[in-house]
Amino acid sequence: MKTTDSTASGRRLAALCLGACLGGYLSLAQASSHREAPFITTQPKVDAADFYMFNSYEGVAADGKGGRAGFVTLIANYLPLQDGYGGPNYFALDPNALYEIHIDNNGDAREDITFQFRFKNALKGVALPINNKQVPIPIIQAGVVSSPNAAALNLNESFSVNIIRGDRRTGISAALTHVGNGSPVFDKPVDNIGSKTIPDYPGYAAQHVHEVNIPGCAIPGRVFVGQRKDPFAVNLGVIFDLVNAPLGVITDPSLINAGKDDLADKNVTELAIEVAASCLVADATRPVIGGWTSASLRQGQYLTPSPARGQGTTLIPGGGWTQVSRLGMPLVNEVVIGLPDKDRFNSSSPKDDLQFADYVTNPTLPALIEVAFGQAAGAFAPSNAGRNDLVTTFLTGIQGVNQLGMITPSEMQRLNTSIPAVPFANQNRLGIVGSILAGGSDFAGYPNGRRPKDDVVDISLIAMMGGLCMANGNANALGFGASCKPAAVPLGGTAFNLHDAVDQATRPLMPAFPYLDTPIPGAK
């Protein structure tokens, strides 16, 4: 192991310019993680879709001060590809699962802090008088819903959040509680059924932003869990149909919006928590944190042939917890990890990631793109052996930007909490490198964490197809090795023009917590 100074300021980042920052941004950035592994397709309620980790920018001024400066927002999205009309039971989360957000603040690739979410779905048994009998209704609402746990709700979802310090299963656990009443139970809004059931969904959902006491932290935080418009934009069908688009389109920057955003009409369920940065870092001299999400199920289950009356009584779980989903830098499992190891990756921890190193040092995506466009081997794929360009930035963080104090090669997001947040309107969709190339000062974006506005799909294509080596030049300016040079990149400068023909920056978002936009209703 070795240590590195991770107290970089915005001024130092500006000085790095096209050095570490450009290399960092063009890391193995990925996009989203929908149905990425064989097993998780059978368990959609615990399918992690996206993970965002960023310095909160709500109300922050241009100088990075005011508003929620000094806080970090963590967003874990689950249960992707929701249709607004997907009733009558909609998309409740699994009460037999653990949903967790993990923080490593010393660099050993092990969780030091975990936020653990548990859910409870309470069936009220609303009934109507029919021929002098009280008969239970067949849907989850019996009238207009405008407030938490409304009387008209037949099924009410609630949740708890525990903070665990140390190992996620054996560490010290304590419950987050409401500021004011001290309750450890929080209501979750019902999904956006439609405008007749919930006439003012934004106002209704806003009542479920909870201010919370966090044990061990003197500063209250905020929590929200609920359905949201999927914030991610991607030309999903085209990409997985062997990039079914003309090469002239995806290499022409002027056609960035020429494709179809396949998630434009989809919702997702957001688990969001905002915490003071000082409560996440190891100490003030080490402002960088790593983060990832996971979901776990019980090892065993029994399906009873005679379910009891009630909610979710067919399955009876048992045994210890088993992790089945994992997400840090998104889309890694989707397009980097090979098919035989996808379920294993979802069950693994960052501390054990060297077992998957071959997928980073010998990525298959460039060769698949050659197949997709009918090219001979080596026509597009970079030729530098070992792809140290990807390893350096993907598994270790960037020195002076977001490298943890101890370097343990591992896949997770890394965020420097000392870098000032940038107001939403001033954010560059290409994060650090976009800001540098534009002469700006936005150093709060990808790969320094990930904001909802950051367009990471385009950068994943650029990185995989040799953008890092183009930036490294012939003098090894970024330290990726002498073989990582422009001559190793068959696409040359064209690698910088790659995109998926969908612009992430056009996705509607909120400027304040919980940041993701109002979900699409089942009926307007």
Side-chain angles (χ1 to χ4, degrees):
M1 304 291 181
K2 64 178 181 178
T3 59
T4 181
D5 176 19
S6 55
T7 59
S9 64
R11 183 175 300 167
R12 183 177 178 187
L13 280 168
L16 289 171
C17 281
L18 296 181
C21 290
L22 182 58
Y25 184 79
L26 295 177
S27 64
L28 187 61
Q30 299 298 342
S32 190
S33 185
H34 299 69
R35 294 172 53 83
E36 79 288 347
F39 177 76
I40 207 64
T41 64
T42 71
Q43 303 289 331
K45 288 180 180 290
V46 290
D47 184 0
D50 277 289
F51 176 48
Y52 301 91
M53 181 170 69
F54 54 92
N55 294 323
S56 299
Y57 51 82
E58 176 183 340
V60 172
D63 62 0
K65 299 178 180 179
R68 301 296 286 185
F71 284 83
V72 171
T73 296
L74 307 167
I75 297 175
N77 288 346
Y78 287 90
L79 220 174
L81 303 175
Q82 299 177 19
D83 290 312
Y85 52 79
N89 290 294
Y90 297 94
F91 302 97
L93 291 178
D94 190 350
N96 298 317
L98 294 181
Y99 300 84
E100 296 175 305
I101 300 174
H102 309 284
I103 300 296
D104 170 20
N105 59 24
N106 60 17
D108 64 357
R110 301 171 186 266
E111 66 271 11
D112 297 297
I113 298 172
T114 293
F115 295 99
Q116 183 183 95
F117 294 73
R118 296 291 307 273
F119 292 87
K120 182 178 181 180
N121 303 326
L123 181 63
K124 297 178 181 176
V126 174
L128 295 176
I130 308 295
N131 295 327
N132 297 320
K133 292 185 177 182
Q134 292 293 318
V135 181
I137 65 173
I139 57 177
I140 66 172
Q141 84 278 26
V144 174
V145 173
S146 60
S147 60
N149 196 12
L153 273 180
N154 192 22
L155 180 72
N156 189 68
E157 293 182 76
S158 61
F159 65 97
S160 62
V161 187
N162 276 31
I163 182 172
I164 303 168
R165 300 184 186 277
D167 183 271
R168 68 181 81 174
R169 298 292 174 262
T170 62
I172 299 173
S173 179
L176 275 63
T177 58
H178 278 276
V179 170
N181 64 24
S183 172
V185 179
F186 307 94
D187 283 309
K188 172 183 176 293
V190 71
D191 294 344
N192 197 356
I193 298 170
S195 59
K196 186 173 184 179
T197 297
I198 313 173
D200 178 17
Y201 197 88
Y204 166 69
Q207 298 176 61
H208 296 81
V209 174
H210 307 285
E211 189 176 10
V212 295
N213 298 305
I214 304 174
C217 180
I219 305 171
R222 293 189 290 185
V223 169
F224 172 84
V225 174
Q227 188 184 54
R228 297 279 90 188
K229 171 73 186 69
D230 195 323
F232 184 62
V234 63
N235 205 345
L236 198 63
V238 164
I239 288 177
F240 286 111
D241 187 22
L242 294 176
V243 194
N244 189 3
L247 190 61
V249 171
I250 65 171
T251 57
D252 184 346
S254 70
L255 298 178
I256 190 172
N257 281 312
K260 176 188 176 185
D261 177 6
D262 290 317
L263 301 185
D265 61 349
K266 302 299 181 184
N267 295 326
V268 73
T269 299
E270 173 188 23
L271 283 62
I273 183 166
E274 185 184 54
V275 186
S278 60
C279 296
L280 295 175
V281 300
D283 58 62
T285 68
R286 293 180 287 176
V288 178
I289 59 174
W292 69 98
T293 72
S294 71
S296 299
L297 298 171
R298 293 292 188 182
Q299 287 181 342
Q301 65 179 33
Y302 168 69
L303 299 179
T304 175
S306 302
R309 298 191 77 191
Q311 176 73 16
T313 61
T314 298
L315 186 150
I316 302 173
W321 293 108
T322 298
Q323 180 180 304
V324 296
S325 179
R326 169 189 167 188
L327 182 58
M329 301 278 277
L331 204 73
V332 168
N333 204 358
E334 207 154 6
V335 300
V336 178
I337 303 298
L339 195 56
D341 287 317
K342 287 182 177 294
D343 287 336
R344 292 182 64 238
F345 182 86
N346 266 352
S347 298
S348 68
S349 297
K351 64 182 178 62
D352 300 318
D353 278 348
L354 286 180
Q355 66 181 308
F356 304 111
D358 281 350
Y359 291 118
V360 180
T361 59
N362 300 280
T364 59
L365 184 59
L368 281 172
I369 291 178
E370 289 174 339
V371 172
F373 288 101
Q375 300 294 314
F380 289 170
S383 60
N384 55 311
R387 295 305 300 266
N388 193 52
D389 50 330
L390 301 182
V391 173
T392 300
T393 55
F394 176 48
L395 297 179
T396 65
I398 305 101
Q399 186 174 5
V401 181
N402 65 345
Q403 195 173 76
L404 284 145
M406 181 189 302
I407 302 174
T408 305
S410 52
E411 189 279 300
M412 65 176 76
Q413 282 192 45
R414 293 170 171 87
L415 172 69
N416 189 329
T417 64
S418 70
I419 294 175
V422 173
F424 180 80
N426 298 342
Q427 292 174 13
N428 192 302
R429 76 174 188 89
L430 296 180
I432 291 175
V433 70
S435 183
I436 290 173
L437 294 176
S441 57
D442 179 7
F443 305 117
Y446 200 87
N448 183 34
R450 180 190 176 194
R451 303 170 301 199
K453 189 176 181 178
D454 293 337
D455 195 335
V456 293
V457 176
D458 294 356
I459 301 307
S460 68
L461 292 171
I462 292 171
M464 279 291 188
M465 302 313 293
L468 288 170
C469 292
M470 291 298 297
N472 200 40
N474 291 316
N476 193 26
L478 306 180
F480 295 131
S483 65
C484 183
K485 57 187 178 182
V489 184
L491 285 177
T494 301
F496 289 107
N497 296 333
L498 291 167
H499 61 83
D500 73 330
V502 173
D503 186 0
Q504 176 69 38
T506 62
R507 167 69 79 226
L509 295 164
M510 295 170 56
F513 186 86
Y515 295 102
L516 307 190
D517 205 29
T518 301
I520 296 171
K524 296 181 180 181

